[in-house]
Amino acid sequence: MVVDQHTRHSSLLWPSALIAALLIASGATNSMSADSPRPNLVFILSDDQLRDSFGCYGSDLGLTPHVDRLAADGVRFTRACVTTPVCAPSRISCLTGRYAGRFMPYVLNTGAHFPSTQPTVATYLKAAGYRTAIIGKLHFHLRDVPGREPLPEQMRRLGFDEAEHVHRANFNKGAHLEGQERDFAAAREFIEKNKDRPFALFLFTTLTHGPVEAPQKYIDMVPAGPNRTGRAMYRWLDELTGELVGTLEKNGLRDRTAIVFAGDNAPSQDGGSTGSRNKGTLYDGWVPLVVSFPGRIRKGAVVDEVVQNIDYLPTILDLCGIPLPEKAKVDGRSFVPLLEGKPVAWREEAYFEVDAGRAVRTDRWKYIAFRPTAGMPRPLEKQLSTYDGKADLLFDLRNDPVESRNLAADPDHAATLAEMRGRLKKLCAGYEYRFGEFGSEPPDDSKNR
């Protein structure tokens, strides 16, 4: 079961000064000796990147040699996924370690928000003495901050020292091309400037999201064939990643730096394979997740457990030796034991949410509930058509991994359906809004929000 479910119902938030005091009291801010400096972090989040195009995930196209090398030197996850497979909410969960639905009733890009008082992974890292930066795409907003406040200033409220190169995402042709080089150049500059102190860099690139375009030199690297320019975008991102790793190596930082390469959601494909019919839906969607940290975690290992983007915050802090304050509210858990190959009881279920749908998944079963209400921002018919017009769906993932046969109305599976509904009811309990017949009225904790 997802860790710390008893903490899911409170919105108690922690100001940065209090976080710093608690970290100092715990010894986290000086937990590494001078002979063993604290590790650095480079977290790269790609956009709409198809996992099947990576060599380390079985592709023979030769598009990702640098990421493949990270996988060979570290740990590759086969069942990494996100709780909300849409761009903005996915990034919210990456930064907060919480379900994006804690902050909005309908989890979409439109209106995606959370309060500026919500601690982020940068809040904790900065309080522990790290220099923090965020670069690239963000199009959520802070719900309690005037819209006229510049985005970099909003990010500084969340614990990021440097945020000059964060943007709402520019997907116009031409500007999209220029933005990639600019963002990665800013990332390399940040590393150079902070090579003598612990740093944490979060780079949220817009590659390989459309428009489909790439510099000619990367197109020339890809053999002629279908979707050559689209494939060149993968080669482009991989080369930029390699240059970033090269900056670490040039400055003698590679062995002291944890690198996380992850995807924000799996892109949907018509007739796609298992785990590829995902963006904006509750069908399974596996994203790339590779972690490399020489000398600290295993080399060339593969992990088959289900991990989610809510796990990034506790995992990063764990790698950096920074404990969470005891009362911090985080929905995920650290997967460092999986990185180190230690035996650990992992989650029995995973929770997902998007639009008017919620889902729970176990190793064998997947249950999706679609419960629309009045006033939803997206047309209900369009949402419901995603699920073949059915409000309840039950899939036997062992025998139907592509989720094509809905068993919800099958009397032979009535007991399983009831069990999965019960799981979802527990996971939905305590939210600030009701979801159909699931959950219960939340406690009045508005004074703590």
Side-chain angles (χ1 to χ4, degrees):
M1 191 170 189
V2 179
V3 74
D4 290 335
Q5 289 298 325
H6 65 284
T7 69
R8 298 177 71 251
H9 313 319
S10 174
S11 297
L12 181 63
L13 304 175
W14 290 79
S16 297
L18 179 55
I19 291 172
L22 290 170
L23 293 177
I24 292 171
S26 69
T29 57
N30 58 2
S31 60
M32 302 287 182
S33 68
D35 295 330
S36 177
R38 281 169 289 170
N40 305 309
L41 171 75
V42 172
F43 185 102
I44 302 170
L45 188 73
S46 65
D47 197 342
D48 282 18
Q49 193 164 27
L50 181 64
R51 195 184 71 171
D52 293 352
S53 294
F54 288 79
C56 57
Y57 284 104
S59 172
D60 59 0
L61 299 175
L63 304 178
T64 58
H66 295 289
V67 175
D68 296 344
R69 191 170 301 118
L70 291 176
D73 290 337
V75 177
R76 174 173 61 88
F77 288 80
T78 65
R79 296 204 294 172
C81 55
V82 301
T83 60
T84 307
V86 192
C87 298
S90 178
R91 284 157 179 75
I92 289 175
S93 293
C94 285
L95 293 178
T96 66
R98 307 190 76 190
Y99 299 119
R102 295 219 173 271
F103 312 115
M104 66 196 86
Y106 305 115
V107 191
L108 294 162
N109 275 336
T110 305
H113 61 73
F114 65 99
S116 62
T117 48
Q118 168 64 43
T120 69
V121 63
T123 310
Y124 298 112
L125 289 165
K126 180 176 180 178
Y130 277 72
R131 185 71 176 175
T132 58
I134 187 165
I135 296 171
K137 168 185 170 178
L138 287 176
H139 50 214
F140 59 73
H141 66 272
L142 302 183
R143 70 183 182 197
D144 53 352
V145 173
R148 63 182 177 274
E149 182 172 275
L151 187 57
E153 292 302 316
Q154 294 185 39
M155 293 303 102
R156 291 187 183 96
R157 292 174 179 264
L158 302 180
F160 291 102
D161 295 301
E162 300 189 23
E164 293 78 10
H165 295 276
V166 69
H167 49 79
R168 294 293 186 194
N170 187 344
F171 293 128
N172 296 320
K173 282 207 168 189
H176 184 242
L177 283 172
E178 296 171 6
Q180 313 309 322
E181 301 291 341
R182 183 171 57 245
D183 286 351
F184 274 85
R188 295 192 297 271
E189 181 182 355
F190 174 78
I191 291 172
E192 294 276 5
K193 286 192 309 182
N194 294 282
K195 60 186 178 182
D196 296 322
R197 62 179 298 174
F199 63 79
L201 167 65
F202 293 82
L203 176 55
F204 292 175
T205 177
T206 54
L207 287 172
T208 52
H209 194 294
V212 179
E213 58 180 349
Q216 188 61 45
K217 67 177 181 178
Y218 297 110
I219 296 175
D220 293 341
M221 291 181 180
V222 179
N227 194 29
R228 188 181 188 188
T229 302
R231 291 178 176 180
M233 295 175 73
Y234 283 76
R235 194 71 179 87
W236 184 16
L237 175 54
D238 188 76
E239 284 294 311
L240 292 173
T241 299
E243 291 175 8
L244 202 60
V245 175
T247 301
L248 294 170
E249 293 172 341
K250 181 183 71 173
N251 288 282
L253 300 172
R254 183 64 189 92
D255 289 346
R256 288 170 41 199
T257 303
I259 299 176
V260 179
F261 187 101
D264 70 338
N265 52 252
S268 293
Q269 303 178 96
D270 292 336
S273 59
T274 305
S276 297
R277 188 176 42 157
N278 177 241
K279 185 173 182 177
T281 80
L282 293 169
Y283 295 112
D284 271 0
W286 306 123
V287 299
L289 176 58
V290 170
V291 183
S292 177
F293 192 178
R296 171 64 195 275
I297 67 173
R298 294 182 291 166
K299 181 177 180 179
V302 177
V303 172
D304 296 321
E305 300 286 358
V306 174
V307 299
Q308 298 182 282
N309 54 345
I310 52 173
D311 299 327
Y312 294 150
L313 182 151
T315 298
I316 289 167
L317 297 186
D318 196 356
L319 285 170
C320 295
I322 302 171
L324 277 169
E326 184 179 349
K327 294 184 179 180
K329 305 306 173 187
V330 175
D331 293 311
R333 62 182 295 187
S334 170
F335 53 74
V336 166
L338 302 178
L339 295 173
E340 296 176 338
K342 295 178 179 177
V344 59
W346 199 243
R347 55 169 51 97
E348 296 178 358
E349 62 190 14
Y351 170 75
F352 306 90
E353 53 188 10
V354 70
D355 280 342
R358 303 292 180 268
V360 58
R361 184 194 200 283
T362 64
D363 276 346
R364 179 169 181 180
W365 299 100
K366 174 81 157 290
Y367 171 61
I368 298 173
F370 185 82
R371 299 292 186 271
T373 60
M376 291 203 62
R378 287 187 66 197
L380 300 182
E381 295 79 6
K382 183 177 181 179
Q383 292 186 53
L384 190 56
S385 67
T386 301
Y387 308 109
D388 298 324
K390 303 298 183 182
D392 291 88
L393 299 95
L394 178 69
F395 298 111
D396 181 350
L397 301 175
R398 183 181 302 169
N399 297 303
D400 178 26
V402 297
E403 299 169 284
S404 63
R405 297 188 298 275
N406 181 10
L407 304 174
D410 186 341
D412 291 340
H413 294 89
T416 300
L417 179 65
E419 177 198 345
M420 296 301 287
R421 280 177 167 168
R423 286 179 180 269
L424 187 60
K425 184 177 179 65
K426 289 179 181 179
L427 289 165
C428 289
Y431 269 61
E432 294 181 7
Y433 56 89
R434 293 293 298 269
F435 175 70
E437 73 274 25
F438 297 91
S440 57
E441 293 295 343
D444 182 9
D445 61 352
S446 58
K447 295 181 180 179
N448 294 324
R449 296 199 293 272

